[in-house]
Amino acid sequence: MAKVIEGLYYSESHEYVRVEGNFGYIGITDYAQHALGNIVYVDMPDVDDEVEAGEDFGAVESVKAASDLISPVSGTVVEVNEALEDTPELVNQDAFENWIIKVELSDAAELEDLMNAEAYAAFCEK
């Protein structure tokens, strides 16, 4: 079973958000990285780009597939995880430690539309 962490918010497209203050760290879940296999490239937006909940903000490519990254929340990109540019496989090693982008949240109420850990674990079992 894929690892699910309490206290994070999860989307049906297998992204998570870890909220710290007014910022959200967005990445793909452990379930998603297992499904993709060995990740070879992470396409990320630029700092100061706007992301919208439900819209693509990049992609993850593995040896067997490419998958769009769908932002679970709206906001402004304040940081990208530059380590992933040279070592995208870090996402396979620990998807929750190796977030993809950090955004300043523009509407914290959007978090209410996401799943908690328990609901996401049940969703993944379907």
Side-chain angles (χ1 to χ4, degrees):
M1 165 126 188
K3 183 166 83 172
V4 177
I5 296 181
E6 288 290 331
L8 303 183
Y9 298 89
Y10 298 89
S11 68
E12 289 188 1
S13 53
H14 304 289
E15 287 84 16
Y16 68 83
V17 184
R18 183 178 81 234
V19 177
E20 293 181 8
N22 198 35
F23 296 97
Y25 293 85
I26 301 172
I28 64 169
T29 64
D30 192 52
Y31 179 94
Q33 72 83 15
H34 275 294
L36 282 165
N38 294 334
I39 293 171
V40 295
Y41 179 71
V42 180
D43 179 35
M44 297 177 275
D46 295 321
V47 170
D48 294 329
D49 280 2
E50 297 288 327
V51 295
E52 290 289 326
E55 301 290 321
D56 298 5
F57 70 85
V60 176
E61 295 177 18
S62 70
V63 290
K64 59 184 185 180
S67 181
D68 287 338
L69 294 166
I70 311 295
S71 187
V73 291
S74 301
T76 304
V77 178
V78 293
E79 193 177 341
V80 297
N81 188 345
E82 293 179 2
L84 300 180
E85 291 174 5
D86 296 326
T87 47
E89 63 274 11
L90 287 171
V91 175
N92 292 122
Q93 293 168 19
D94 190 334
F96 293 112
E97 280 299 309
N98 294 290
W99 49 273
I100 296 170
I101 60 172
K102 176 182 176 183
V103 299
E104 185 169 3
L105 302 173
S106 60
D107 184 2
E110 290 174 340
L111 296 168
E112 296 168 18
D113 297 331
L114 301 172
M115 292 177 273
N116 64 15
E118 188 179 349
Y120 181 70
F123 176 77
C124 290
E125 286 175 14
K126 289 180 183 171

